[in-house]
């Protein structure tokens, strides 16, 4: 004799198992994502603190749970930057929906530098890697106000515009600057320089291999815009 199974009860049981399975997946992804991000915070923070250590009178790290951190550096007198902050933005790996969305649009961990120069630059410069940055309407509005910097050695993957074309050419043709940009490759996202604080905004993908290059490139840019000391009148 076959025992009659109530279809409503069967569907309810299947639904319960499906719901429990989905919940288990969400919890598993949350636990894995949280642990992975905390591992990156520890590893990336250690690398950046070691690199920034000789450049800072003091440095403070503020951790945002598992979403990233902020390092505030009070530079030494020989460092050509002020109010230097480095912010790490990590992907929301704890959220299963993020992983599903990432299949259609790639996302990346990001490292951002905010800093002031020792003197106001009195110009604007935008260097954007079109392979790593999707232009927004706000970007278009900024770029419309600037002049294209022609014939640079950075290649065709970059949009380069400035309000002081000749004044930034020295930086864009500097061998050390070009070498670091090339080393970052598509990890390079954008450099924005303005005469309002912060003078420098520099964004790149956050990968272990590119963290030190990011720090040194930010310092290199600060050096270029460092005010020149006037010679004593007796030597002029």
């Amino acid at each position: 004799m076959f025992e009659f199974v109530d279809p409503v009860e069967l569907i309810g049981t299947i639904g319960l198992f499906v719901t429990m399975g989905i919940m288990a997946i969400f919890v598993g992804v949350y636990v894995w994502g949280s642990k992975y991000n905390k591992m990156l915070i520890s590893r990336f923070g250690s690398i950046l603190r070691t690199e920034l250590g000789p450049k800072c009178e003091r440095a403070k790290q503020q951790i945002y749970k598992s979403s990233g951190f902020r390092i505030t550096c009070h530079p030494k007198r020989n460092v050509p930057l002020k109010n230097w902050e480095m912010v790490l933005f990590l992907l929301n790996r704890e959220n299963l929906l993020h992983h599903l969305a990432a299949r259609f649009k790639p996302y990346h961990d990001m490292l951002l530098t905010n800093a002031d120069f020792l003197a106001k630059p009195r110009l604007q410069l935008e260097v954007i890697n079109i392979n790593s940055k999707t232009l927004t309407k706000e970007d278009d509005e900024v770029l419309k106000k600037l002049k294209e910097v022609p014939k640079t050695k950075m290649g065709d993957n970059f949009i380069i515009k400035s309000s002081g074309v000749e004044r930034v050419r020295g930086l864009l043709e500097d061998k050390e600057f070009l070498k670091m940009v090339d080393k970052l490759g598509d990890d390079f996202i954008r450099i924005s320089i303005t005469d309002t604080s912060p003078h420098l905004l520099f964004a790149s993908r956050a990968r272990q291999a590119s963290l030190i290059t990011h720090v040194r490139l930010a310092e290199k840019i600060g050096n270029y815009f460092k005010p020149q000391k006037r010679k004593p009148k007796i030597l002029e």
Side-chain angles (χ1 to χ4, degrees):
M1 297 288 294
F2 291 101
E3 184 177 351
F4 176 76
V5 177
D6 186 351
V8 176
E9 184 179 347
L10 178 60
I11 293 173
T13 302
I14 294 173
L16 177 62
F17 279 110
V18 170
T19 301
M20 291 177 63
I22 293 173
M23 290 178 61
I25 293 172
F26 269 94
V27 171
V29 170
Y30 179 86
V31 172
W32 172 84
S34 179
K35 287 185 177 181
Y36 191 84
N37 275 9
K38 288 178 181 178
M39 180 271 291
L40 291 180
I41 287 172
S42 176
R43 182 179 299 174
F44 289 4
S46 176
I47 293 171
L48 290 173
R49 289 194 305 272
T50 299
E51 179 65 20
L52 286 169
K55 309 176 193 297
C56 306
E57 291 287 354
R58 61 186 185 277
K60 179 181 178 182
Q61 183 178 9
Q62 182 180 2
I63 297 176
Y64 302 117
K65 295 184 178 180
S66 60
S67 62
F69 60 70
R70 179 188 302 271
I71 296 179
T72 303
C73 170
H74 297 273
K76 295 181 177 179
R77 293 185 65 182
N78 62 330
V79 176
L81 295 171
K82 300 185 298 181
N83 307 320
W84 191 355
E85 291 186 340
M86 304 195 75
V87 186
L88 175 69
F89 299 95
L90 293 178
L91 299 176
N92 187 9
R93 293 183 172 88
E94 299 148 315
N95 189 338
L96 177 61
L97 298 179
H98 163 78
H99 293 276
L100 298 176
R103 291 182 172 272
F104 302 97
K105 183 178 180 180
Y107 295 91
H108 305 277
D109 299 319
M110 189 173 74
L111 183 63
L112 177 67
T113 278
N114 304 311
D116 286 327
F117 300 139
L118 299 182
K120 186 183 294 188
R122 301 188 185 281
L123 58 77
Q124 189 168 354
L125 171 66
E126 296 290 340
V127 182
I128 302 173
N129 183 351
I130 58 177
N131 290 336
S132 300
K133 175 74 169 70
T134 300
L135 295 182
T136 64
K137 290 182 180 180
E138 289 77 12
D139 296 332
D140 289 334
E141 289 299 317
V142 170
L143 294 172
K144 283 179 183 177
K145 301 175 184 178
L146 304 176
K147 299 177 182 178
E148 184 176 355
V149 182
K151 298 180 181 179
T152 69
K153 298 180 181 179
M154 293 186 64
D156 298 329
N157 295 332
F158 296 89
I159 296 173
I160 306 174
K161 290 194 170 188
S162 177
S163 61
V165 172
E166 294 306 317
R167 291 170 62 193
V168 300
R169 190 173 293 281
L171 173 66
L172 301 174
E173 294 179 352
D174 182 270
K175 291 182 179 179
E176 188 177 355
F177 173 84
L178 292 171
K179 184 178 179 180
M180 285 189 279
V181 170
D182 183 64
K183 187 173 182 180
L184 287 175
D186 279 344
D187 287 344
F188 179 102
I189 298 175
R190 182 174 188 166
I191 290 173
S192 294
I193 294 172
T194 67
D195 59 359
T196 58
S197 183
H199 300 145
L200 171 64
L201 292 173
F202 170 34
S204 69
R205 295 178 185 174
R207 292 192 307 117
Q208 185 170 331
S210 64
L211 299 178
I212 293 176
T213 303
H214 180 112
V215 175
R216 294 178 181 177
L217 182 54
E219 188 176 12
K220 174 68 180 178
I221 297 168
N223 263 317
Y224 182 79
F225 288 97
K226 182 171 62 175
Q228 300 297 317
K229 292 183 179 180
R230 292 192 60 184
K231 294 180 181 180
K233 289 188 176 181
I234 194 172
L235 297 178
E236 291 181 345

